[in-house]
Amino acid sequence: MTGVRDRSGAPAVSVVIPLYNKRPHIARAVTSVFAQTVRDVEVIVVDDGSTDGGAEVVRGFDRVRLIRQENRGVSAARNRGIAAARGELVAFLDADDEWMPGHLEALVRLRERYPCAGAYGTAYLVKKEGTSRIPPFGSVIPREPWEGLLPNYFRAATAGALPLSSSGAAVPRHVLCEMGGFATGAWYGEDTDLWGRIALKYPIAFTWSGMAVYHKEASNRACNTKKPVGEPPFVASAQKALQAGEVPPGLQEDVREHVASRQIIAACRNLEAGRPDLARAILRGCRTRDLWKSRYWFLFWSYVPAGAYRVLRPRRVFTALNAWKGRASS
């Protein structure tokens, strides 16, 4: 499949890759784009002030637009790439991840079949320490090989792995412009916030085929950084939408539960970072009908001194939350 160029001469897909100190991995990411069955693509790499020579690696590739800027964060880098994109469909890929060869073909197919959708996503493999697995997506998403419009994005995102990821999603450019792109005020949860804001207004399409590969073992990943985080950005976005009456009554409870799940995960990150006070503050503001056991479990851990927590913590800090997700998807 070569992709179909529109009448304006724009590419079928614009691929935006934010780059910050990912020299060991960026070649793999770009190579996976050029290995796609969809050939009609433009590749935009936005170097966000890297100091490790990653931009020089990018210069070694033909047909890659390299944009350099001072370090302003991953959201600003993605937004810069969006502004430069010429394609109507914009796909995102982190510099330390890669795509299977049919990834863009799957996204383009979704776009053609479901033009009403606000975002398109594929399943993804998580690689870590020599192992790879597909995370549990929960029964809200029909089993493989299903693809289509999700019955309920927020319920799916709460009961299992997120249907949209920063390396597995594509969004029409006009939707990105409508949403104002990625929020630049947070370094963690900025992608989840955008997916949530889109899902408040548009259906979300998903497919099991053409998976992305999420390299959790890669160096310098934000998800592996143990530093404090604030309230997840989607909390404010959801509250604003609820207060403005922009969420249909039948969806409001699902949105609230998704917000609660994001808050609990943020609290877990603060426990890992040795900031139980921040975890406690987030959990005190967490309101949930279904996740109350997880909320109280981690609230308990927030009163344990940070030093003792590191010794006594469960083998997996997300044990309680994962257990709830397993029950919710059964």
Side-chain angles (χ1 to χ4, degrees), residues 60-81:
F61 286 89
D62 295 329
R63 298 186 296 121
V64 175
R65 295 171 61 191
L66 176 64
I67 299 174
R68 307 193 73 172
Q69 64 180 28
E70 293 183 359
N71 181 246
R72 295 167 52 201
V74 66
S75 290
R78 290 190 183 116
N79 290 344
R80 183 78 178 274

Side-chain angles (χ1 to χ4, degrees), residues 16-86:
V16 172
I17 305 176
L19 173 65
Y20 179 68
N21 289 349
K22 302 291 178 125
R23 181 186 176 98
H25 314 297
I26 182 62
R28 178 180 63 197
V30 174
T31 299
S32 78
V33 177
F34 289 128
Q36 294 297 299
T37 54
V38 172
R39 305 293 187 188
D40 186 17
V41 301
E42 68 169 348
V43 183
I44 303 170
V45 176
V46 181
D47 177 32
D48 190 44
S50 295
T51 59
D52 67 346
E56 282 62 44
V57 175
V58 175
R59 292 186 193 280
F61 286 89
D62 295 329
R63 298 186 296 121
V64 175
R65 295 171 61 191
L66 176 64
I67 299 174
R68 307 193 73 172
Q69 64 180 28
E70 293 183 359
N71 181 246
R72 295 167 52 201
V74 66
S75 290
R78 290 190 183 116
N79 290 344
R80 183 78 178 274
I82 293 167
R86 295 184 299 117

Side-chain angles (χ1 to χ4, degrees), residues 198-247:
I198 293 173
L200 286 170
K201 294 190 175 184
Y202 293 94
I204 304 298
F206 177 87
T207 180
W208 287 93
S209 64
M211 289 189 287
V213 181
Y214 178 72
H215 286 275
K216 197 170 182 180
E217 83 286 358
S219 58
N220 196 28
R221 287 210 77 116
C223 68
N224 296 331
T225 302
K226 292 187 178 181
K227 68 179 183 179
V229 299
E231 190 87 85
F234 185 65
V235 175
S237 298
Q239 290 174 345
K240 181 180 178 181
L242 288 165
Q243 292 170 2
E246 297 173 351
V247 184

Side-chain angles (χ1 to χ4, degrees), residues 100 124-135 213-215 217:
M100 292 187 173
Y124 43 93
L125 281 173
V126 177
K127 287 196 172 185
K128 181 181 179 182
E129 299 172 355
T131 64
S132 62
R133 68 184 183 91
I134 301 175
V213 181
Y214 178 72
H215 286 275
E217 83 286 358

Side-chain angles (χ1 to χ4, degrees), residues 10 14 82-83 85-90 171-178:
S14 293
I82 293 167
R86 295 184 299 117
E88 174 51 25
L89 187 64
V90 181
V171 183
R173 186 154 48 91
H174 75 273
V175 175
L176 290 166
C177 292
E178 177 187 350

Side-chain angles (χ1 to χ4, degrees), residues 98-110:
E98 63 180 313
W99 289 337
M100 292 187 173
H103 179 73
L104 287 182
E105 182 176 344
L107 291 174
V108 169
R109 182 176 66 248
L110 283 180

Side-chain angles (χ1 to χ4, degrees), residues 190-328:
E190 76 293 330
D191 51 350
T192 305
D193 171 63
L194 178 59
W195 315 144
R197 287 187 284 123
I198 293 173
L200 286 170
K201 294 190 175 184
Y202 293 94
I204 304 298
F206 177 87
T207 180
W208 287 93
S209 64
M211 289 189 287
V213 181
Y214 178 72
H215 286 275
K216 197 170 182 180
E217 83 286 358
S219 58
N220 196 28
R221 287 210 77 116
C223 68
N224 296 331
T225 302
K226 292 187 178 181
K227 68 179 183 179
V229 299
E231 190 87 85
F234 185 65
V235 175
S237 298
Q239 290 174 345
K240 181 180 178 181
L242 288 165
Q243 292 170 2
E246 297 173 351
V247 184
L251 194 61
Q252 290 177 6
E253 193 60 39
D254 294 316
V255 171
R256 291 191 181 98
E257 290 302 309
H258 180 59
V259 165
S261 72
R262 296 294 99 194
Q263 290 175 307
I264 292 171
I265 290 173
C268 290
R269 292 190 66 89
N270 283 320
L271 289 174
E272 288 287 289
R275 291 297 305 272
D277 57 321
L278 295 180
R280 194 158 51 244
I282 291 175
L283 291 170
R284 283 175 174 169
C286 177
R287 300 291 179 266
T288 175
R289 180 191 64 189
D290 298 325
L291 284 168
W292 62 271
K293 288 185 179 180
S294 295
R295 175 181 178 269
Y296 281 116
W297 173 248
F298 292 112
L299 190 59
F300 161 78
W301 280 105
S302 74
Y303 284 97
V304 174
Y309 169 77
R310 293 189 181 96
V311 176
L312 300 173
R313 66 186 177 186
R315 184 176 181 182
R316 295 183 64 188
V317 73
F318 293 115
T319 297
L321 185 58
N322 286 337
W324 176 85
K325 286 184 174 181
R327 291 195 300 272

